[in-house]
Amino acid sequence: MTDSRATALDAADPLAAYREQFIRTDEVVAYLDGNSLGRPTKASAARLSDFVANSWGARLIRGWDESWYEMPLTVGDRIGEVALGAASGQVFIGDSTTVILYKLIRAALDARPERSEIVVDTDNFPTDRFILQGIAAERGKKLTWISPDSDAGVTADHVAAVAGPDTALVVLSHVAYRSGYLADAPRITQIAHDAGALVLWDLCHSVGSVPVELDEWGVDLAAGCTYKYLNGGPGSPAFGYVRAEHQATFRQPIQGWMGTAEPFVMGPEYEPHDGIRRFLSGTPPVIGMLAIQDMLELIADAGMNAIRDKSERLTAFVLELIDEKLVPRGVAVSSPRDPARRGSHVTIDHPSFAEVNARLWAQGIIPDFRRPHGLRLGLSPLTTSFEEVRLGVDAISAELP
Ligand SMILES: *Cc1c(COP(=O)(O)O)cnc(C)c1O
């Protein structure tokens, strides 16, 4: 059974042809979790095997001088240009998001030593909260918690109510991992700055799906994943952004040789590089940076505004179907209704969803189950079709008790 609305939306979709650029298998009927792990591009399959044969296999140790050594900054610059609104020299790729958050938060606190508080919200991703709890204990700082509604997120008013002369840093997610709430990053950044605080945005769920303008918004620091909407593959390394004007003074805590001005001098003391390279620590994850590059080229080709446009149409369509087929049967929508305040995923709740999800996965319908009883439907603009959305909602409807 098809749905004429889905067919018409796919036929009118200017980005529909990009779906052909990704690897897919018949067994997966609807992939609704591209926000946890993006599909691989066909170009990445070729790039990875070519790398083993012709770069690693043929160039061996010479590859470091020829390009690998610079990749954390060259690929970082490309992420900045295509997806972050960041001029070159401000983005690096290195560790997991968790470790980059640790480095950047420590650097920010040391840059505001007279201030004692860090603002964060109770719905932020666990690793963000845990890293902050650890650093607060380590550095004798206080966490100031914002508690947003669970189906919404942190607003400018929330931040204005707590940011003050003691605030060193505000750490928030641009798109909330559960509700999908899209925070007003430019306004919140301004409010934090008016209080004399620094801002760190976690972009894990926005990079590659929502336009980001870090330079224009005046953002101090940012970090984000590359295995979600940047399709870098499982465990591909995260990126960090440090505004140019802060680089000479901010010091990160994991002082490794790769962050020094001249690593191969092998000198007696740590002398940090004076630019973005100082935020690196150890040998860069070269293989992990390969696939990101192919997705960045597709994003550059499609354009972030067209991607955002499709994302809004996908989330509007899934909500239309949810309202029609699931809400009358007791399913609750736990995401914002206003498309301007929504990222590229929608979360719904029902007490049966743990069992429903297991049955969906067995049929090749793949959403993301979130405890206690949420289903997160991640709609990745270049890979998800409207027909997949329709199949997903119909399958949930069929499995509801
Ligand atoms: C996915 C995600 C992370 C993941 O961090 P890792 O170090 O890659 O495990 C962190 N923060 C947010 C907001 C996320 O959505």
Side-chain angles (χ1 to χ4, degrees):
M1 188 183 67
T2 58
D3 180 298
S4 59
R5 283 169 296 178
T7 313
L9 285 162
D10 279 321
D13 172 14
L15 303 185
Y18 285 98
R19 280 166 50 78
E20 295 310 311
Q21 305 288 330
F22 296 86
I23 290 177
R24 57 185 67 245
T25 57
D26 292 341
E27 176 261 328
V28 174
V29 178
Y31 188 50
L32 305 173
D33 206 1
N35 59 324
S36 290
L37 179 68
R39 283 182 179 278
T41 63
K42 290 177 180 167
S44 294
R47 185 192 290 267
L48 283 157
S49 63
D50 179 71
F51 181 85
V52 175
N54 298 316
S55 291
W56 178 12
R59 302 314 300 159
L60 296 167
I61 196 71
R62 296 171 292 183
W64 283 111
D65 286 341
E66 290 164 0
S67 67
W68 304 340
Y69 178 72
E70 292 300 331
M71 276 174 69
L73 310 188
T74 54
V75 180
D77 275 351
R78 190 68 180 142
I79 298 178
E81 183 182 8
V82 171
L84 302 178
S88 70
Q90 301 178 102
V91 180
F92 68 98
I93 300 183
D95 320 280
S96 64
T97 301
T98 301
V99 173
I100 290 181
L101 287 170
Y102 180 78
K103 291 178 174 188
L104 298 186
I105 293 166
R106 280 283 309 266
L109 295 183
D110 288 348
R112 291 284 182 279
E114 70 292 351
R115 291 175 173 239
S116 57
E117 294 181 16
I118 310 166
V119 171
V120 59
D121 71 293
T122 50
D123 275 356
N124 210 331
F125 193 86
T127 216
D128 301 57
R129 293 182 277 110
F130 300 161
I131 286 284
L132 282 166
Q133 286 165 338
I135 291 177
E138 192 176 276
R139 307 300 276 180
K141 304 285 179 182
K142 174 175 168 266
L143 298 180
T144 303
W145 293 95
I146 292 170
S147 299
D149 292 339
S150 62
D151 55 356
V154 177
T155 64
D157 288 344
H158 284 133
V159 178
V162 295
D166 292 327
T167 311
L169 176 68
V170 175
V171 180
L172 298 171
S173 286
H174 187 206
V175 169
Y177 81 100
R178 196 172 195 286
S179 71
Y181 183 85
L182 173 61
D184 187 344
R187 237 181 104 207
I188 290 174
T189 299
Q190 187 58 51
I191 288 166
H193 286 172
D194 289 346
L198 296 162
V199 183
L200 189 164
W201 285 102
D202 184 325
L203 305 175
C204 283
H205 271 92
S206 56
V207 65
S209 71
V210 175
V212 175
E213 295 292 345
L214 296 178
D215 288 354
E216 189 186 311
W217 298 345
V219 169
D220 303 289
L221 301 160
C225 295
T226 62
Y227 53 80
K228 293 175 178 171
Y229 295 107
L230 295 183
N231 304 50
S236 63
F239 64 85
Y241 166 91
V242 182
R243 193 172 192 74
E245 68 193 62
H246 295 319
Q247 289 173 14
T249 51
F250 282 25
R251 297 269 302 226
Q252 62 111 336
I254 304 176
Q255 308 190 152
W257 68 314
M258 284 289 158
T260 61
E262 291 185 279
F264 296 98
V265 168
M266 311 260 179
E269 302 290 342
Y270 174 76
E271 280 291 341
H273 188 278
D274 56 14
I276 191 74
R277 181 171 280 285
R278 68 168 49 194
F279 296 92
L280 302 184
S281 297
T283 298
V286 172
I287 293 173
M289 290 185 273
L290 295 176
I292 308 166
Q293 299 174 69
D294 299 302
M295 186 60 177
L296 285 172
E297 291 323 302
L298 294 182
I299 293 173
D301 192 62
M304 273 312 306
N305 289 332
I307 287 172
R308 172 65 174 156
D309 205 57
K310 179 164 177 196
S311 161
E312 288 186 23
R313 276 181 289 117
L314 284 165
T315 54
F317 184 53
V318 80
L319 281 168
E320 181 183 327
L321 297 180
I322 290 165
D323 282 338
E324 197 177 293
K325 303 178 186 195
L326 304 181
V327 169
R329 299 177 55 205
V331 169
V333 173
S334 309
S335 290
R337 291 278 177 182
D338 175 3
R341 291 271 66 90
R342 197 162 69 215
S344 210
H345 67 267
V346 166
T347 297
I348 51 180
D349 278 278
H350 189 273
S352 69
F353 275 168
E355 302 89 77
V356 166
N357 189 59
R359 293 199 294 272
L360 293 174
W361 277 39
Q363 304 163 39
I365 307 266
I366 311 194
D368 189 22
F369 175 66
R370 290 282 132 173
R371 281 163 202 264
H373 39 61
L375 270 192
R376 214 171 52 164
L377 309 175
L379 311 177
S380 190
L382 293 186
T383 69
T384 310
S385 67
F386 292 90
E387 179 62 6
E388 270 180 291
V389 170
R390 199 275 302 169
L391 284 163
V393 175
D394 277 355
I396 296 166
S397 171
E399 295 299 340
L400 266 183

